[in-house]
Amino acid sequence: MADRQFIGKPARRVDALEKVLGTARFVADYSLPDMLVARCYRSTLPHARINSIDLTGVEKIAGVKAAITCDDFVEHGRFGFPIVDMYMLAYQRARYVGDPIVAVAAENEDALEAALAAIKIDLEPLPGVFDPRKALLPEAPLVGEKPRDAEGYPHGNLLIDYIVRQGEPDALFDDCAVRLESEYTTMHQEHAYLETEGALAVPWKNRSGVTVYACCQSPFLARGNLVRTLGLAEEDVRIIQPYVGGAFGGKDDTMYLTIGQAACLALKTGRPVKMVFSREESMIASYKRDAMIMNYQIGADADGTLKTCRFHGIVDSGAYAAITPFTAWRSTIHAMGPYRYTACHVDTDVVYTNNGYAGAFRGFGNTEVCYAVELAVDEIAARLNMDPIDLRLKNCLRPGDTTAHGQKLGDDVAIAECLEQVRQISDWDRKRQEYPPGDPVQILPGEIRKGIGVAAVFHGMSLGAEGKDSAVSTLCINDDNSLTLTSGLTDYGNGSRTVFTLIAAETLGINPDRIHMLRPDTATGRDSGPTVASRATVLGGNATRVTAMRMDTLLLTAAADLFGCQITNVLRDGENYVGPNEEPAGFEEVVAHARQMGLVLSTEGRWNAPENHWSFESGSGKPYFAYHFGAQVAEVQVDTGTGKVEVTGLWAAHNTGTVIFPQGALGQLYGGITQGLGYALMERVDFDQGFIQTTNFDEYLIPTALDVPDITGTFVEKPFTDGPFGAKNIAEPGLVPAAPAIINAIYHATGRRIKNLPANLERVLIGKDLRKEGSNIACKLGLRQV
Amino acid sequence: MIITITVNGNKCQHEAPADVSLLHFLRDYLHLTGTKEGCGVGECGACSVLLDGKLVNSCLILAAQADGREVVTIEGIHAPDGGPNDLQQAFIDYGAVQCGFCTPGMILAGEALLRSNPRPTRMEIREGIAGNLCRCTGYQQIVDAIQATAEMRREKNLRG
């Protein structure tokens, strides 16, 4: 490996200083003269026909400046990708508790409150679908807009379905020594970004356009939705991203609505409009990680060789498609886990219900299936009395293997290395010996038992065959010899601004302090697709490398001209350029000479991901250009008197390729694992007849510093040919295997396999729910709380 | 009513409704926006400030309750030159910051802890920040930063 100055070396986050001083401004911190405040009136019913909306009382209230409905948008504000089924404000029907129907802008909170109370909406209750298993019954009420017998679909509530097909699994089960059949379920998970949703829309002079400051993940997609629903030209919309207080996949669709409503109100009133959610509004209105029902049949030989896998999954998309079709596709592709089979069939149905709505959340469909398949594989190891890591090593994908999708893998596959490393750093073999396997029949109540469990993960990189996959970065040298770097991808805390800065600095051989990496702004950055799918480091990083290489060529040309030599004879020593006569010229001198030569010191770099292809009909192809691999081990202590689970140790080995920003990569890993710990043990958004039961952090618990132990993380830095400096990704895969590792550790401790997340006290203690969660009355809506 | 609070050493006086929270008094009346609102019900700690030296959730306290008392917000935590103090520098150096939304409250929790317990164990640090939610970091690098600051302050005191 070439000597590197910045890549993989200790570095500091480029935006840490303003964050520790408290001067980093988030959208709620912005204030403008004449600014109005805005909020939505939201549906109090899970499914209802909107018979009438009467705003006459509202407009008479002093201080109320505008109230809008879907009629204030083009085509009722209809938008959505990949399926167009959403409206900027509800049209004809409200489909979930919290569906926005009217948006109001007022001079102050008091007028806003009065206005929301004065809105008269005739909502006629409609029967709803709350159990995804019943969504496709002939008598199920229709939630979506498709007719019951839409073309190619057996039922209007079937949003979409996907398959993977390899061989004929059924024929193989009879010959298998072990045949596992099991159902697993996961719950909706709340992103719980500490910063709630917010947007500040500022109309241009004469209302000719609008600028929106918003904490969204994908500003170019937000712009596209405004263009479509407000009938504006692209150049009349500017989206600027302030600091974003966490996203984890959750600041796309909800934010598109918020941006659209605020922009519409700003254009209507001619005044700046700020809309910031309370925590209650955030939890009620925003989309969640989808809940999933997963059925597995897996057959294996007596020696632990996995032979055959059959999977059927039902994904609860809730009231709208949002991005769930893509999430469910990722579930489909990853449902069999990172293992070889002789035959494998996967079937996934995505259904509409009236349980809020689902969308992207870190892990993006893989989190759900990884939990289930890693429990199933672990169960097979238990039945065969095999060590769980040995069974995984026997079956895991290796370089050159062909996946169940028919994809021949490259030499970057590193799951075996990850399993071996995590086995070593967790002291697995000793602990498996030391902690006696639990047996529910023999455990004495109140006994404190220890257990250790493992889970492995593969995670397709970037968008895969979901769609066009490219990113653009730009670089220019300013008059003061500082450099400005842009990307169309967002840093919502993930550290990508630092990663891009380090990549540009390394490529150009200059100090990172010279580089100012801007936050995205549709007026200065270039469309780079959505900031999702852990794609920033590879996509944005490669684009940054391309733009920096172009700039490097310009500067080398200038240096060669200055020295009167060939470019190939120019060497670098730190920031200095060294000619054949060993005469050095500093960076400034070379830049000045380049300007004299008339070179334009501004470059743009695009990187297109390698080609993927997927046949939705045959269920085979090359779904992703490459995969991230990882393995995690969890150690738990279970109080068998109360069911309380304490996670006492976590070890993780992930195949990140070259690590660019070590402190940031570790932070992503620790943070991801902690979200996975919450998913395993405590996080649960419960819908009771469509009414959400958890609306703030007093009811929806996320891990505190006391719930998570010190984590040991290690990276398998096998360089990845297509990554910038050999880098892969880390953001999502850190979360994905944490929950199954913890649940498998609980099994080791207690002999009880928790097949329904989360593993709360009663499930751990007695193996089932004591009561249905939640109340039968309408939830504490809290919609009007500030 | 007229509310008078000494904020970061400056006496601040403002007319405000009797029911305004300390959080909104700071943010909306004094325009000190470093203190964040994350939940409004005292669960997340993003609004942490020091009230007479004690760590509190400013969303749970009325501005009127702080009348005549001393409040320290994140804007009051810095080195004499306005740059980061040692704890803030440790947050930068140890990677304790990701999105940054919990960071002001987390730093105040760290300061409050180190003032009351200059030699905290890692578990005591975890207890000290247990009222402050962070969704990004998994807390580990925050614990590292506070622990390193405790050690640095101890060494500095020994050197005298």
Side-chain angles (χ1 to χ4, degrees):
Chain A
M1 193 189 302
D3 252 4
R4 288 184 182 142
Q5 295 187 70
F6 308 113
I7 300 285
K9 301 288 191 299
R12 290 170 189 161
R13 186 173 296 264
V14 297
D15 56 5
L17 180 63
E18 55 268 38
K19 287 175 175 175
V20 298
L21 291 174
T23 54
R25 289 202 306 160
F26 296 81
V27 70
D29 304 334
Y30 284 61
S31 188
L32 288 172
D34 263 354
M35 187 175 80
L36 302 172
V37 286
R39 194 163 305 132
C40 286
Y41 180 99
R42 295 179 181 278
S43 175
T44 50
L45 293 174
H47 198 194
R49 193 181 319 283
I50 303 170
N51 283 333
S52 64
I53 300 175
D54 179 1
L55 300 174
T56 48
V58 176
E59 281 143 11
K60 288 185 198 136
I61 295 169
V64 174
K65 292 296 160 191
I68 55 169
T69 67
C70 63
D71 293 336
D72 291 277
F73 294 89
V74 176
E75 267 193 90
H76 312 290
R78 190 169 157 80
F79 76 102
F81 181 77
I83 290 172
V84 183
D85 69 350
M86 212 171 192
Y87 299 87
M88 284 293 173
L89 288 161
Y91 171 57
Q92 293 186 334
R93 276 186 302 145
R95 304 189 207 171
Y96 75 98
V97 173
D99 215 349
I101 304 172
V102 178
V104 182
E107 297 280 2
N108 53 53
E109 278 296 330
D110 290 344
L112 190 57
E113 286 291 311
L116 291 168
I119 293 171
K120 289 199 178 71
I121 296 183
D122 178 10
L123 283 182
E124 178 193 333
L126 294 171
V129 178
F130 308 114
D131 181 351
R133 295 173 207 261
K134 294 179 180 162
L136 302 183
L137 294 179
E139 66 273 21
L142 280 183
V143 181
E145 296 176 337
K146 283 188 295 192
R148 196 167 290 277
D149 53 354
E151 198 182 336
Y153 284 91
H155 196 293
N157 283 340
L158 181 64
L159 230 164
I160 199 158
D161 53 358
Y162 299 111
I163 58 168
V164 174
R165 290 287 180 270
Q166 174 203 12
E168 285 299 333
D170 289 355
L172 298 172
F173 280 110
D174 287 346
D175 297 335
C176 290
V178 182
R179 179 176 177 166
L180 175 105
E181 281 195 55
S182 199
E183 181 178 284
Y184 308 89
T185 65
T186 59
M187 294 292 295
H188 295 93
Q189 187 183 19
E190 162 66 34
H191 303 81
Y193 23 74
L194 262 279
E195 179 208 28
T196 58
E197 296 79 355
L200 168 61
V202 186
W204 299 355
K205 218 172 183 178
N206 305 323
R207 306 180 197 182
S208 59
V210 65
T211 297
V212 188
Y213 299 81
C215 56
C216 69
Q217 290 184 209
S218 308
F220 289 89
L221 272 67
R223 182 181 69 178
N225 288 326
L226 281 194
V227 167
R228 177 184 179 130
T229 59
L230 290 175
L232 296 168
E234 211 165 72
E235 57 270 26
D236 296 334
V237 178
R238 180 176 180 186
I239 311 283
I240 299 177
Q241 201 134 64
Y243 292 90
V244 179
F248 319 114
K251 284 180 175 166
D252 275 331
D253 307 70
T254 315
M255 279 305 304
Y256 302 150
L257 293 175
T258 307
I259 291 167
Q261 294 151 1
C264 184
L265 286 166
L267 289 171
K268 193 154 185 173
T269 58
R271 289 173 60 177
V273 172
K274 184 157 98 169
M275 186 183 273
V276 176
F277 286 16
S278 67
R279 179 60 58 185
E280 287 81 4
E281 185 168 20
S282 173
M283 285 209 185
I284 291 165
S286 71
Y287 58 90
K288 315 292 177 220
R289 184 193 299 288
D290 57 81
M292 214 168 155
I293 300 160
M294 295 164 278
N295 275 283
Y296 278 91
Q297 294 174 54
I298 298 181
D301 281 346
D303 68 352
T305 305
L306 299 175
K307 299 284 280 197
T308 176
C309 173
R310 217 176 213 303
F311 169 90
H312 180 252
I314 302 173
V315 176
D316 183 355
S317 182
Y320 296 100
I323 211 78
T324 305
F326 288 154
T327 316
W329 182 70
R330 189 176 278 269
S331 296
T332 307
I333 299 302
H334 293 82
M336 73 297 294
Y339 305 109
R340 288 181 304 263
Y341 300 88
T342 308
C344 172
H345 280 194
V346 177
D347 289 85
T348 308
D349 294 335
V350 188
V351 300
Y352 282 118
T353 69
N354 299 102
N355 297 325
Y357 74 113
F361 192 148
R362 197 175 193 173
F364 204 70
N366 192 14
T367 314
E368 298 84 321
V369 294
C370 179
Y371 155 70
V373 75
E374 286 301 308
L375 262 63
V377 166
D378 220 66
E379 183 61 31
I380 289 171
R383 290 193 192 175
L384 290 168
N385 203 19
M386 263 181 90
D387 179 274
I389 290 184
D390 287 345
L391 182 114
R392 285 173 173 83
L393 283 169
K394 193 177 185 73
N395 293 286
C396 70
L397 295 167
R398 306 269 177 167
D401 274 355
T402 301
T403 68
H405 327 93
Q407 176 173 5
K408 191 165 167 53
L409 296 171
D411 59 4
D412 64 305
V413 180
I415 193 153
E417 288 95 320
C418 292
L419 282 163
E420 298 283 11
Q421 284 203 15
V422 82
R423 169 177 231 152
Q424 193 196 345
I425 61 175
S426 65
D427 201 5
W428 170 269
D429 292 322
R430 182 182 66 78
K431 289 172 181 170
R432 286 294 291 195
Q433 288 291 318
E434 209 167 279
Y435 309 153
D439 177 352
V441 184
Q442 290 179 8
I443 290 171
L444 303 168
E447 213 182 317
I448 305 290
R449 298 189 59 89
K450 291 189 89 126
I452 186 163
V454 65
V457 62
F458 75 140
H459 193 82
M461 287 167 63
S462 199
L463 303 178
E466 285 169 25
K468 187 175 82 89
D469 204 3
S470 69
V472 183
S473 296
T474 70
L475 194 57
C476 71
I477 303 182
N478 304 310
D479 291 346
D480 63 356
N481 293 329
S482 67
L483 287 86
T484 300
L485 175 64
T486 78
S487 165
L489 298 174
T490 301
D491 186 341
Y492 31 72
N494 46 0
S496 56
R497 285 173 75 197
T498 309
V499 167
F500 299 158
T501 301
L502 295 174
I503 287 172
E506 186 75 48
T507 307
L508 284 166
I510 58 166
N511 193 317
D513 291 345
R514 283 189 187 273
I515 301 170
H516 302 291
M517 169 79 218
L518 301 183
R519 294 192 304 274
D521 174 339
T522 56
T524 59
R526 302 277 187 278
D527 190 357
S528 297
T531 314
V532 298
S534 311
R535 64 194 283 272
T537 297
V538 174
L539 271 288
N542 271 323
T544 301
R545 182 138 165 77
V546 172
T547 192
M549 283 163 74
R550 294 202 167 136
M551 184 64 80
D552 189 44
T553 305
L554 289 175
L555 294 177
L556 283 171
T557 305
D561 192 66
L562 185 68
F563 299 137
C565 69
Q566 297 293 317
I567 284 182
T568 46
N569 292 331
V570 179
L571 301 174
R572 296 297 301 277
D573 175 23
E575 286 201 335
N576 288 330
Y577 292 77
V578 184
N581 304 324
E582 298 187 7
E583 60 211 295
F587 176 75
E588 280 88 353
E589 197 182 341
V590 171
V591 169
H593 188 73
R595 288 200 182 102
Q596 272 183 359
M597 289 170 70
L599 297 177
V600 178
L601 298 180
S602 172
T603 56
E604 183 172 308
R606 172 182 290 275
W607 193 74
N608 297 319
E611 194 217 328
N612 309 301
H613 52 88
W614 182 252
S615 163
F616 291 90
E617 293 73 33
S618 72
S620 64
K622 181 188 175 191
Y624 295 94
F625 61 83
Y627 298 82
H628 171 112
F629 301 92
Q632 294 182 7
V633 165
E635 183 189 65
V636 300
Q637 190 166 287
V638 182
D639 181 336
T640 62
T642 62
K644 184 174 163 47
V645 175
E646 192 187 338
V647 180
T648 51
L650 283 163
W651 297 266
H654 282 263
N655 162 229
T656 50
T658 306
V659 173
I660 291 175
F661 175 34
Q663 183 192 83
L666 281 170
Q668 283 290 298
L669 181 65
Y670 301 151
I673 289 174
T674 303
Q675 288 179 357
L677 183 150
Y679 191 54
L681 299 178
M682 61 188 84
E683 295 188 34
R684 170 179 192 156
V685 178
D686 208 34
F687 289 95
D688 185 9
Q689 299 295 301
F691 290 91
I692 185 171
Q693 301 296 314
T694 48
T695 58
N696 206 325
F697 291 130
D698 52 348
E699 298 161 320
Y700 188 85
L701 303 184
I702 65 171
T704 71
L706 287 172
D707 295 314
V708 50
D710 277 338
I711 300 166
T712 305
T714 181
F715 298 124
V716 176
E717 295 197 58
K718 204 169 173 177
F720 170 54
T721 320
D722 284 323
F725 295 99
K728 282 189 176 176
N729 52 356
I730 180 66
E732 290 173 285
L735 182 157
V736 175
I742 291 167
I743 302 300
N744 287 338
I746 295 172
Y747 172 79
H748 184 220
T750 66
R752 189 161 273 143
R753 189 91 60 187
I754 313 291
K755 295 181 184 176
N756 315 96
L757 283 185
N760 56 22
L761 297 181
E762 61 257 38
R763 285 173 178 168
V764 175
L765 189 63
I766 57 170
K768 60 178 182 186
D769 285 329
L770 281 175
R771 62 182 170 85
K772 188 168 172 6
E773 290 277 323
S775 69
N776 284 315
I777 54 163
C779 64
K780 298 190 294 181
L781 273 180
L783 289 174
R784 306 228 170 103
Q785 294 187 23
V786 182
Chain B
M1 65 181 286
I2 291 175
I3 296 169
T4 311
I5 305 176
T6 302
V7 180
N8 304 326
N10 305 314
K11 199 166 169 183
C12 301
Q13 204 167 58
H14 219 288
E15 171 88 39
D19 63 350
V20 75
S21 68
L22 177 58
L23 170 63
H24 285 279
F25 184 78
L26 292 169
R27 286 181 59 84
D28 301 343
Y29 293 83
L30 304 184
H31 307 293
L32 293 171
T33 56
T35 309
K36 306 300 180 196
E37 175 163 8
C39 69
V41 296
E43 288 288 332
C44 79
C47 66
S48 299
V49 298
L50 302 180
L51 178 62
D52 290 339
K54 200 168 156 253
L55 188 71
V56 295
N57 288 318
S58 63
C59 73
L60 292 183
I61 290 184
L62 294 175
Q65 287 174 283
D67 191 45
R69 298 168 73 179
E70 284 201 26
V71 169
V72 176
T73 70
I74 190 65
E75 288 87 353
I77 305 282
H78 50 74
D81 67 355
N85 77 359
D86 53 353
L87 179 62
Q88 288 164 317
Q89 188 60 47
F91 266 60
I92 298 173
D93 294 343
Y94 285 83
V97 178
Q98 286 192 31
C99 85
F101 200 80
C102 77
T103 307
M106 207 55 97
I107 284 171
L108 282 153
E111 282 292 350
L113 171 72
L114 293 178
R115 286 176 194 186
S116 67
N117 179 3
R119 307 179 66 115
T121 62
R122 280 183 83 80
M123 189 44 78
E124 285 168 341
I125 295 172
R126 288 184 178 277
E127 281 166 9
I129 60 169
N132 293 70
L133 296 177
C134 169
R135 191 57 156 169
C136 296
T137 65
Y139 305 101
Q140 190 152 322
Q141 288 152 309
I142 297 173
V143 177
D144 293 344
I146 296 173
Q147 190 178 31
T149 308
E151 278 158 25
M152 284 186 295
R153 286 186 186 180
R154 218 157 48 225
E155 277 169 30
K156 206 172 152 193
N157 283 342
L158 283 178
R159 286 199 306 271

